Amino acid sequence: MPSVSDPDELIFFVNGRKVIEKRADPEVSLLFYVRKVIRLTGTKYGCGSGGCGACTVMVSRYDPKSKKIHHYPATACLVPICSLHGAAVTTVEGVGSIKKRIHPVQERLAKCHGTQCGFCSPGMVMSIYTLLRNHPEPTPDQITEALGGNLCRCTGYRPIVESGKTFSPGATVCQMKGSGKCCMDPDEKSFVSREEKMCTKLYDEDEFQPLDPSQEPIFPPELIRMAEDPHKRRLTFQGVRTTWFMPVTLKDLLELKASYPKAPLVMGNTAVGPSIKFKGEFHPVFISPLGLPELNFVESTDKGATVGAAYSLAQLKDALDFLVSEQPKEKTKTYHALLNHLRTLAGPQIRNMATLGGHMVSRPNFSDLNPILAAGNATINVISKEGERQISLNGAFLEELPEANLKPEEVVVSVSIPYTTQWRFVAGLRLAQRQENAFAIVNAGMSVEFEEGTDTIKGLQMFFGSVAPTVVSARKTCKQLIGRQWDDQMLGDACRWVLEEIRIPPAAEGGMVEYRRTLIISLLFKFYLKVRRWLNRMDPQKFPDIPEKFVSALDDFPIETPKGIQMFQCVDPNQPQQDPVGHPVMHQSAIKHTTGEAIFVDDMPPVDQELFLAVVTSTRAHAKITSLDVSEARACPGVVDVITAEDVPGDNNHSGEIFFAQIEVICVGQIVCAVAADTYDHAKEAAKHVRIAYDDIEPAIITIEQALEHNSFLSPERKIEQGNVDSAFKHVDQIIEGEVHVEGQEHFYMETQSILALPQTEDKEMVLHVGTQFPTHVQEYVSAALKVPRSRIACHMKRTGGAFGGKVTKPALLGAVAAVAANKTGRPIRFILERSNDMLITAGRHPLLGKYKIGFMNNGEIKAADVEYYVNGGCTPDESEMVIEFIVLKSENAYCIPNFRCRGRACKTNLPSNTAFRGFGFPQATVVVEAYVTAVASKCNLLPEEVKEINMYKRTSKTAYKQTFNPEPLRRCWKECLEKSSFYARKQAAEEFNKKNYWKKRGLAVIPMKYSIGVPTAFYNQAAALVHIYLDGSVLLTHGGCELGQGLYTKMIQVASRELNIPQSYVHLSETSTVTVPNALFTAGSLGTDVNGKAVQNACQILLERLRPIIRKNPEGKWKEWVAKAFEESISLSATGYFKGYQTNMDWEKEEGDAYPYYVYGAACSEVEVDCLTGAHKLLRTDIFMDAAFSINPALDIGQIEGAFIQGMGLYTIEELKYSPKGVLYSRGPDDYKIPTVTEIPEEFYVTLVHSQNPIAIYSSKGLGEAGMFLGSSVLFAIYDAVTAARRERGLSDTFPMNSPATPEVIRMSCTDQFTDMIPRDDPSTFTPWSIHVS
């Protein structure tokens, strides 16, 4: 590293304030800097790889050439602070705050109910805000595009998009909004008595403050002066280990590159950054030629355009848009192909940071642009001190052949992209796990040139990405096809030859080998059709058009801005004005979420002497630890101590959960030890120096199949049975048998597991601030690990950034690890898991294998069912036994089958322990039920919906475990869903569409649901609350429930406001803590509002009872007066409320019980379109009808339903966890685990809350937190409906495995055709696959 005696000062602005950094370190990111140095904690850490958008900020720069200010969004986790010299950064705090003034973007996101947990909200605000700075009146499409790089796991995106759409000119969400009538409501056919007026307005637009662009902060004039300074010179920033050079002339850049040929050029840091962070690369020198005019330009001649290498991909898109508008279409075919991919490549933040030059030179094998540039004959213009030269951007360059590479001292100046000639055609094709912000599974750039006026091939180029370690060219195939006619025979040869030329080995990294082989020729076929179409457009007489049925294969699915209507029961007009119950009240922290002022665990200020914890985890699935050497790690800089099992004062194994592995490891990702150091970087670096030696133990059990083989289980079998199953099978017309695999799911809460442990100086006390659903559980585990009574362990939980079940048991284990470290070092411990560790250590939803045998009559009536379920529980008990109990109890869903047997068992494997996850087994198990109902329908030649109708519960009945219930609300949801969604008419329209289209198919499915909330154990349903009234009349409310984003605190304030008959503004709810409410149970199972609401109600009623005599004496008095008088009369103004809980029970010996307090019913109809050539699908419309009984807060309830539905849709379609055969999890971040983005949600999304009675619950409400999850399976079954249509047309069987998730791979490979028949297949016994399924 060059030593610089006098480094330069780094100058930039943050929120209008000047920052001067005298020792700027190139290794420091903007995210670390704003959060930890200048303490602006609104910008959040979500993934560290630029893939989630939680850390989005706005960067503004002045361009002295155009005299314009350029604002763009950037992910702070990838921005090195040294790259910001002369820039202005705006974080969420700079947009607006409660202290000063909130900005319309923040206000509207909050009031439109676009925040739940609030962790992603600052990033959403920054994306919309940056858009508005560039386009004060954006179109709906611009809003959808602006949000493409931001993930949200709570809301399902619709309200976020809606809040942005309020800035569009002439924006209204629904023409009928506010009139209480709905455009979907056929009044004359109404079957609900109309005294229930339905409302559709969840917020009041009249409340919004207008957007005034003139009020935005100005760009700092000092930065304009700096940018225009004629005497600019090279800047040098010197860090601890690295040096950053910022040349200001091209000559200077070439000097630097000659002196430091190995130094990377850093512009957007989207390639160099992740490889440093995740691949451990190290560069002592960085060269950053930001703002060099020679690299920032676009120039067009009559031959084509040349674009500067420093142009960001977003600037490239703008430049190409301009060129396309100026030039005739035939000249810009390459530009059109590039534009098509630039819309979905990464997200807007990365597109604004990544540069064209960087993208080309880094040559990622998944590059979307390089294959198109190569097919378009682009050339790269490079320069060095020796002079200039051109490199063809072709196969040799992309395949990284030595003769075509850049020399170390060379710099890319620009790229020349020629215009296309009349008889040359260029296209780009790709397919990814999701439409936007996802690396391609296979992509291609292809071009063909014909002899003029003919269809004889003169030149042909095909480049494929993601099929080898580099982008590859099908040179040989292309050469062989020169001189051939562009016809079907040529296509057949091309497909065969290209498969021979591009061999993907069977064990290739990334897996999906047969699918990728199929995609190569499917994309080639799409190109073939596009060219045929284009030839026909050139000369219809000479070149016949493609068959009409093939036309829809030409285009990818368009990205539409989602729209929808939400319907709920209006509040009774006679209800007192100040009573908030039943109103769509905004989340109580929503404004704080959108301003970034809501404090999460890692936002808490640093504590004196705090240490950071990094864990060392096992790399083997099942092995003996033969040695553990921490001496090298202890000697690393900044390390205070290394904590191992030896350091646990109490139990290291509590209830079967192991804190630190000691003698053996039982999964990859098990914690072996932890390093405590003065910074997280030091702790992480030292963790790499811990030396562990292993001896593998056989067997290592990874899959359910292996567990069954080795008889490896975590719990005894659970069973329920009714009727006589064996005898019934003898009296049916037909019997079918099958099995269904449902893979697991990662919680992907936006805030990773976070703990702050503070050891106290007295009495061995320990205070923990932790993001959890179950503070009592953390308290129990910490108490056991430290061997200290629980009364000395205080757990505080204010809010957490999403949980979904993943923060029920896991924080207890991690809390114990942090507490042991705090206890040993005597210092506070900050323990924040990085996303990759969080995904590895904490696991997720149980993968499931279901086997069924069904007996039925030819009319579709099911007489007998024998079902077995197995879940992959992982290596320790966790919640697996309870999950399997729930699965067995809920296994009939909405169907009454007279002879029914269900058995279930949790398998013990060497994977990290799976745990609670929204729906708790139900979303997996019920897929099996819907699959066998669909299979019966296929055998009877009926629609699945008809078979569902035949077998659905119709009157007050008993479940298989003898609990009585009335299915009337279920029937109503089902009936409304079929009618209001126009199911039968749309089903017919889909069939018409399918007749006319061979390669695209539409499918619909309606799914009924009978979901049970709560737990079959009565004491798990208890809850307590503590309510204090202060002398100024204000009320402090605490209870045992946790705020996870579901709005529990908001509903509790509504309850207290109604019960005490005071405005909501009087009631304050600060946090949940084991100090105020002891022994509180988990906030899970959709029970939060039910049980805590009853406890709060009880406390308020006790207080009101005490105040009653005073109110009687002074009925005209004010609340404050009554409170003061009560105090004078020595009446206690504090009360504990208690709810004993729903009295549920289950006797597994007798196989009967009142297992659940009540049921939530619902139905959902979804329609999809599937691309049979690629496996892509598009969700066109979803209608959800949910029995909400009486909704305490329709905005929150609809938010829960939509969010759960989208999360469920993810589970059943694109979310795919990949494991190696040795039990290593590959999917460890947003790059390789895809949750839905704004582009995946239904184009039309309708949600209706159906009214019913539920007297057992508070205000006759129902718990709706989880129910929507399973309704996401309507998308899965709609996909299978579309696939069945394709298979039927191709003469294939209607019955095929209906597993979950229905990824693009599964969809494509189920639509068997001439292309899937053509690919080479390997004998599975001859290789070890890269990844396996664990269900």
Side-chain angles (χ1 to χ4, degrees):
M1 184 176 96
S3 175
V4 181
S5 55
D6 195 14
D8 289 299
E9 287 181 344
L10 171 71
I11 297 173
F12 63 105
F13 278 69
V14 176
N15 299 336
R17 294 179 71 167
K18 187 173 178 181
V19 173
I20 302 176
E21 195 53 52
K22 288 190 167 35
R23 309 265 330 166
D25 190 334
E27 293 187 273
V28 170
S29 74
L30 175 61
L31 179 63
F32 178 87
Y33 194 81
V34 295
R35 286 186 61 79
K36 301 294 180 188
V37 180
I38 50 182
R39 305 287 323 148
L40 296 172
T41 55
T43 310
K44 303 295 183 220
Y45 164 83
C47 70
S49 63
C52 74
C55 65
T56 303
V57 297
M58 181 174 85
V59 179
S60 309
R61 293 182 190 273
Y62 175 77
D63 177 6
K65 203 164 74 181
S66 68
K67 305 265 188 266
K68 283 194 176 135
I69 293 156
H70 175 48
H71 305 290
Y72 63 92
T75 46
C77 66
L78 290 181
V79 176
I81 52 164
C82 293
S83 70
L84 291 168
H85 186 78
V89 174
T90 307
T91 69
V92 68
E93 291 89 348
V95 173
S97 68
I98 295 169
K99 288 191 189 87
K100 292 183 183 160
R101 182 185 76 96
I102 63 169
H103 189 277
V105 172
Q106 296 166 323
E107 177 195 34
R108 294 185 196 188
L109 184 61
K111 288 183 176 169
C112 293
H113 314 289
T115 92
Q116 285 183 23
C117 81
F119 200 79
C120 74
S121 305
M124 297 287 177
V125 165
M126 293 315 301
S127 287
I128 302 173
Y129 175 75
T130 309
L131 172 68
L132 293 177
R133 289 298 299 264
N134 292 318
H135 302 278
E137 292 195 333
T139 65
D141 287 348
Q142 284 176 317
I143 289 148
T144 307
E145 185 171 348
L147 293 169
N150 293 73
L151 298 180
C152 169
R153 196 55 156 163
C154 297
T155 63
Y157 301 102
R158 183 212 42 87
I160 299 172
V161 176
E162 208 167 282
S163 76
K165 281 199 323 205
T166 62
F167 293 103
S168 296
T172 57
V173 189
C174 158
Q175 279 64 42
M176 313 293 279
K177 276 254 155 138
S179 65
K181 278 212 184 76
C182 166
C183 43
M184 299 172 64
D185 221 10
D187 265 348
E188 58 284 39
K189 294 214 330 243
S190 159
F191 37 74
V192 181
S193 61
R194 271 297 150 209
E195 63 262 18
E196 282 173 20
K197 214 168 128 212
M198 296 302 273
C199 284
T200 56
K201 209 172 165 183
L202 287 169
Y203 53 87
D204 184 1
E205 285 162 7
D206 300 339
E207 282 183 18
F208 298 160
Q209 47 173 335
L211 176 71
D212 181 356
S214 68
Q215 291 301 299
E216 300 299 353
I218 60 159
F219 186 77
E222 183 179 344
L223 295 182
I224 298 178
R225 288 196 296 277
M226 274 169 63
E228 291 184 333
D229 178 5
H231 309 298
K232 272 196 271 199
R233 56 176 182 84
R234 174 201 292 181
L235 296 175
T236 308
F237 305 120
Q238 175 85 54
V240 183
R241 310 188 302 164
T242 54
T243 307
W244 182 284
F245 292 115
M246 212 168 151
V248 290
T249 63
L250 186 58
K251 182 169 170 285
D252 191 17
L253 169 61
L254 301 179
E255 295 275 338
L256 283 167
K257 199 66 178 120
S259 313
Y260 304 106
K262 283 194 174 151
L265 292 194
V266 176
M267 300 293 283
N269 201 39
T270 57
V272 176
S275 48
I276 292 172
K277 200 177 246 174
F278 301 109
K279 293 181 187 158
E281 281 181 18
F282 175 71
H283 303 283
V285 176
F286 297 101
I287 302 170
S288 179
L290 279 159
L292 281 195
E294 294 89 341
L295 305 183
N296 282 288
F297 69 93
V298 61
E299 217 168 64
S300 64
T301 62
D302 50 359
K303 289 205 174 67
T306 301
V307 182
Y311 251 41
S312 72
L313 299 183
Q315 287 170 305
L316 171 67
K317 185 170 177 287
D318 293 343
L320 293 175
D321 270 331
F322 176 73
L323 289 162
V324 161
S325 69
E326 294 280 291
Q327 298 289 342
K329 202 165 178 184
E330 65 175 45
K331 291 173 77 171
T332 57
K333 293 175 217 130
T334 308
Y335 301 176
H336 276 287
L338 288 166
L339 281 169
N340 200 26
H341 279 12
L342 282 166
R343 168 64 183 88
T344 57
L345 189 149
Q349 296 91 329
I350 301 294
R351 291 200 288 273
N352 275 284
M353 297 159 70
T355 57
L356 176 58
H359 183 83
M360 281 181 328
V361 176
S362 58
R363 286 173 288 192
N365 71 331
F366 50 78
S367 162
D368 281 339
L369 303 185
N370 288 351
I372 301 175
L373 289 165
N377 291 340
T379 49
I380 304 175
N381 306 309
V382 300
I383 188 169
S384 68
K385 282 177 81 176
E386 312 305 307
E388 301 182 29
R389 70 182 181 115
Q390 271 76 38
I391 301 178
S392 287
L393 205 163
N394 58 12
F397 173 76
L398 293 178
E399 288 164 18
E400 300 182 20
L401 302 181
E403 70 274 11
N405 267 343
L406 269 83
K407 299 186 183 118
E409 67 280 7
E410 286 182 325
V411 170
V412 173
V413 178
S414 59
V415 187
S416 299
I417 315 170
Y419 290 135
T420 41
T421 53
Q422 192 179 2
W423 289 93
R424 182 181 172 79
F425 186 79
V426 181
L429 304 119
R430 77 188 297 265
L431 193 281
Q433 191 81 348
R434 68 178 180 214
Q435 204 169 354
E436 185 172 10
N437 201 2
F439 297 136
I441 295 168
V442 172
N443 59 348
M446 302 186 197
S447 67
V448 62
E449 189 168 4
F450 294 109
E451 300 287 356
E452 199 155 321
T454 72
D455 65 351
T456 305
I457 299 169
K458 179 179 172 185
L460 179 63
Q461 289 177 292
M462 292 192 272
F463 299 91
F464 291 95
S466 297
V467 295
T470 65
V471 170
V472 289
S473 159
R475 275 189 210 79
K476 236 165 69 193
T477 305
C478 293
K479 212 165 157 188
Q480 280 172 287
L481 293 168
I482 304 281
R484 293 279 297 268
Q485 250 46 56
W486 193 261
D487 56 21
D488 289 1
Q489 210 176 341
M490 180 283 306
L491 173 70
D493 289 345
C495 289
R496 271 201 310 286
W497 295 342
V498 86
L499 285 171
E500 279 162 28
E501 185 172 358
I502 299 175
R503 287 301 306 249
I504 305 176
E509 188 179 332
M512 302 190 277
V513 173
E514 292 183 354
Y515 174 44
R516 286 197 278 169
R517 288 172 182 163
T518 307
L519 274 179
I520 290 174
I521 52 176
S522 298
L523 295 180
L524 172 53
F525 175 59
K526 280 199 172 221
F527 179 65
Y528 168 75
L529 291 178
K530 281 174 189 275
V531 175
R532 282 267 312 264
R533 190 86 211 260
W534 170 74
L535 282 167
N536 170 259
R537 293 285 180 271
M538 296 283 283
D539 187 342
Q541 262 52 57
K542 211 181 216 178
F543 307 114
D545 198 358
I546 58 173
E548 192 57 36
K549 285 186 80 161
F550 284 19
V551 173
S552 61
L554 296 172
D555 295 316
D556 295 331
F557 292 121
I559 295 176
E560 303 286 354
T561 302
K563 58 173 197 264
I565 298 172
Q566 306 78 47
M567 298 184 63
F568 54 95
Q569 188 193 359
C570 300
V571 173
D572 182 339
N574 302 321
Q575 183 171 313
Q577 193 118 34
Q578 95 177 0
D579 177 357
V581 172
H583 287 281
V585 176
M586 175 176 76
H587 191 292
Q588 56 114 24
S589 293
I591 302 279
K592 284 183 282 188
H593 292 159
T594 60
T595 60
E597 290 165 282
I599 300 296
F600 294 85
V601 172
D602 195 32
D603 301 337
M604 295 173 73
V607 189
D608 186 35
Q609 289 201 309
E610 77 176 10
L611 300 174
F612 295 81
L613 209 58
V615 288
V616 179
T617 57
S618 158
T619 54
R620 306 287 178 89
H622 195 193
K624 190 168 182 262
I625 299 177
T626 53
S627 77
L628 171 60
D629 177 7
V630 299
S631 54
E632 212 181 302
R634 273 213 174 96
C636 287
V639 173
V640 172
D641 213 337
V642 179
I643 294 90
T644 67
E646 310 284 305
D647 301 313
V648 182
D651 302 342
N652 185 42
N653 177 332
H654 183 65
S655 307
E657 305 300 322
I658 300 154
F659 303 145
F660 296 94
Q662 202 163 6
I663 298 144
E664 65 168 354
V665 291
I666 50 177
C667 70
V668 175
Q670 185 177 9
I671 295 172
V672 179
C673 61
V675 179
D678 59 349
T679 69
Y680 181 67
D681 283 343
H682 281 154
K684 196 177 164 182
E685 191 50 46
K688 294 176 191 163
H689 295 274
V690 171
R691 306 278 171 250
I692 307 171
Y694 299 102
D695 257 350
D696 282 333
I697 300 172
E698 290 299 324
I701 298 170
I702 309 301
T703 67
I704 291 179
E705 212 169 287
Q706 293 165 348
L708 296 179
E709 213 175 288
H710 289 95
N711 219 10
S712 172
F713 297 105
L714 284 166
S715 61
E717 181 180 87
R718 290 294 188 212
K719 176 172 88 72
I720 54 169
E721 188 168 353
Q722 71 174 0
N724 187 332
V725 177
D726 300 327
S727 140
F729 276 122
K730 295 175 185 146
H731 303 102
V732 292
D733 294 340
Q734 298 187 58
I735 291 176
I736 49 167
E737 295 189 48
E739 60 176 52
V740 176
H741 294 261
V742 182
E743 294 303 318
Q745 185 180 23
E746 158 61 29
H747 297 94
F748 216 96
Y749 28 67
M750 294 304 291
E751 180 194 26
T752 58
Q753 302 272 354
S754 307
I755 293 149
L756 184 57
L758 312 169
Q760 306 298 297
T761 41
E762 296 178 35
D763 303 326
K764 295 186 177 172
E765 286 184 344
M766 180 80 67
V767 173
L768 292 103
H769 294 274
V770 53
T772 176
Q773 295 172 255
F774 198 178
T776 304
H777 201 51
V778 180
Q779 183 189 41
E780 175 194 339
Y781 275 53
V782 170
S783 151
L786 298 184
K787 220 172 166 179
V788 166
R790 291 196 200 183
S791 54
R792 299 181 192 190
I793 312 294
C795 289
H796 297 273
M797 158 61 196
K798 194 176 187 74
R799 62 170 63 83
T800 190
F804 317 114
K807 294 178 181 173
V808 177
T809 60
K810 300 298 180 183
L813 182 116
L814 299 166
V817 167
V820 167
N823 178 65
K824 186 182 183 194
T825 58
R827 288 167 69 172
I829 294 283
R830 194 177 285 262
F831 185 22
I832 313 293
L833 282 188
E834 281 193 77
R835 177 63 63 188
S836 60
N837 274 340
D838 190 299
M839 289 183 75
L840 177 70
I841 294 166
T842 68
R845 186 183 291 286
H846 289 74
L848 170 138
L849 165 62
K851 301 181 177 190
Y852 61 77
K853 178 181 172 187
I854 308 296
F856 56 98
M857 309 310 280
N858 290 334
N859 67 357
E861 193 180 342
I862 300 173
K863 292 289 194 189
D866 191 355
V867 193
E868 285 174 62
Y869 288 112
Y870 299 98
V871 296
N872 191 328
C875 57
T876 64
D878 202 278
E879 301 264 36
S880 295
E881 183 170 4
M882 200 153 148
V883 167
I884 206 73
E885 287 181 3
F886 273 52
I887 284 174
V888 171
L889 289 172
K890 301 181 182 199
S891 58
E892 54 178 27
N893 192 16
Y895 307 113
C896 177
I897 300 172
N899 303 287
F900 182 80
R901 179 192 299 135
C902 178
R903 288 169 288 190
R905 206 148 182 207
C907 299
K908 183 177 186 177
T909 60
N910 296 110
L911 288 180
S913 253
N914 285 307
T915 187
F917 197 144
R918 198 177 208 165
F920 213 69
F922 182 84
Q924 300 98 293
T926 331
V927 168
V928 181
V929 181
E930 295 300 319
Y932 67 65
V933 170
T934 305
V936 168
S938 163
K939 290 280 185 236
C940 298
N941 232 343
L942 294 166
L943 281 181
E945 286 66 26
E946 292 169 334
V947 175
K948 290 172 191 187
E949 180 89 47
I950 291 165
N951 293 288
M952 207 180 292
Y953 278 107
K954 300 196 174 50
R955 57 194 67 82
T956 299
S957 317
K958 284 192 163 158
T959 62
Y961 49 87
K962 319 278 188 295
Q963 182 166 9
T964 307
F965 74 103
N966 176 6
E968 187 273 331
L970 165 69
R971 307 286 310 164
R972 205 164 46 170
C973 290
W974 174 255
K975 193 174 170 201
E976 287 209 23
C977 188
L978 288 174
E979 290 195 18
K980 299 262 180 86
S981 70
S982 320
F983 170 74
Y984 287 106
R986 282 168 53 212
K987 178 80 181 154
Q988 209 169 342
E991 279 166 18
E992 283 306 306
F993 176 90
N994 293 343
K995 274 186 204 143
K996 291 179 186 155
N997 294 281
Y998 188 81
W999 297 109
K1000 287 226 172 103
K1001 297 291 177 198
R1002 287 190 178 170
L1004 283 94
V1006 185
I1007 300 285
M1009 177 189 66
K1010 167 176 132 284
Y1011 183 74
S1012 51
I1013 76 129
V1015 196
T1017 315
F1019 71 83
Y1020 279 162
N1021 300 324
Q1022 62 182 308
L1026 178 63
V1027 179
H1028 300 317
I1029 304 174
Y1030 292 92
L1031 290 182
D1032 60 355
S1034 65
V1035 173
L1036 179 65
L1037 174 56
T1038 48
H1039 54 81
C1042 299
E1043 178 55 61
L1044 321 164
Q1046 81 284 44
L1048 176 63
Y1049 281 14
T1050 311
K1051 285 185 175 178
M1052 293 308 97
I1053 290 170
Q1054 286 177 280
V1055 170
S1057 164
R1058 168 179 274 193
E1059 294 299 331
L1060 296 173
N1061 198 10
I1062 54 175
Q1064 293 176 88
S1065 57
Y1066 284 23
V1067 186
H1068 179 59
L1069 221 169
S1070 173
E1071 63 164 14
T1072 298
S1073 139
T1074 54
V1075 177
T1076 47
V1077 176
N1079 315 320
L1081 281 140
F1082 42 72
T1083 305
S1086 307
L1087 273 177
T1089 300
D1090 283 56
V1091 297
N1092 294 296
K1094 287 271 196 188
V1096 168
Q1097 183 183 40
N1098 177 242
C1100 292
Q1101 287 173 349
I1102 290 168
L1103 287 166
L1104 213 54
E1105 202 47 50
R1106 291 180 194 160
L1107 291 174
R1108 211 146 257 139
I1110 286 164
I1111 297 170
R1112 244 184 246 123
K1113 283 181 198 154
N1114 179 13
E1116 299 303 308
K1118 296 249 180 349
W1119 169 253
K1120 272 189 196 164
E1121 294 163 17
W1122 297 332
V1123 169
K1125 187 73 179 139
F1127 184 69
E1128 281 169 26
E1129 294 190 11
S1130 304
I1131 292 171
S1132 165
L1133 292 173
S1134 170
T1136 303
Y1138 182 68
F1139 175 54
K1140 190 177 175 186
Y1142 297 125
Q1143 296 309 295
T1144 52
N1145 59 77
M1146 181 64 203
D1147 184 332
W1148 284 102
E1149 295 293 303
K1150 292 184 183 159
E1151 298 177 19
E1152 62 181 61
D1154 280 337
Y1156 298 105
Y1158 60 84
Y1159 295 93
V1160 174
Y1161 306 101
C1165 171
S1166 289
E1167 180 175 9
V1168 300
E1169 192 173 314
V1170 161
D1171 184 333
C1172 306
L1173 278 168
T1174 61
H1177 81 272
K1178 184 77 184 151
L1179 178 51
L1180 303 174
R1181 174 173 166 178
T1182 294
D1183 297 74
I1184 295 176
F1185 290 81
M1186 186 71 84
D1187 154 41
F1190 170 80
S1191 172
I1192 292 175
N1193 185 328
L1196 296 180
D1197 286 344
I1198 288 169
Q1200 285 296 292
I1201 292 163
E1202 290 179 338
F1205 174 83
I1206 298 300
Q1207 203 173 47
M1209 180 192 80
L1211 162 70
Y1212 300 121
T1213 58
I1214 57 174
E1215 295 185 33
E1216 191 173 18
L1217 289 167
K1218 301 256 169 102
Y1219 295 89
S1220 82
K1222 291 205 151 96
V1224 179
L1225 176 68
Y1226 293 130
S1227 322
R1228 295 182 56 182
D1231 287 355
D1232 35 33
Y1233 184 77
K1234 297 296 174 193
I1235 70 168
T1237 63
V1238 68
T1239 23
E1240 270 67 45
I1241 74 170
E1243 287 177 10
E1244 296 180 60
F1245 200 178
Y1246 303 109
V1247 178
T1248 302
L1249 299 184
V1250 177
H1251 182 49
S1252 67
Q1253 300 298 321
N1254 189 31
I1256 184 174
I1258 182 154
Y1259 307 146
S1260 189
S1261 62
K1262 284 193 174 184
L1264 300 173
E1266 298 168 286
M1269 187 93 201
F1270 168 64
L1271 295 179
S1273 72
S1274 59
V1275 181
L1276 175 73
F1277 287 98
I1279 287 172
Y1280 280 130
D1281 185 46
V1283 171
T1284 303
R1287 290 176 62 90
R1288 211 173 275 150
E1289 186 168 23
R1290 289 154 179 67
L1292 301 160
S1293 132
D1294 275 9
T1295 45
F1296 55 99
M1298 291 198 190
N1299 298 324
S1300 166
T1303 57
E1305 176 184 18
V1306 170
I1307 295 170
R1308 175 63 187 102
M1309 300 316 280
S1310 300
C1311 296
T1312 316
D1313 55 29
Q1314 63 266 43
F1315 302 111
T1316 52
D1317 291 343
M1318 207 184 269
I1319 60 162
R1321 310 225 174 208
D1322 305 283
D1323 173 357
S1325 62
T1326 58
F1327 66 94
T1328 304
W1330 179 76
S1331 74
I1332 56 170
H1333 288 305
V1334 297
S1335 67

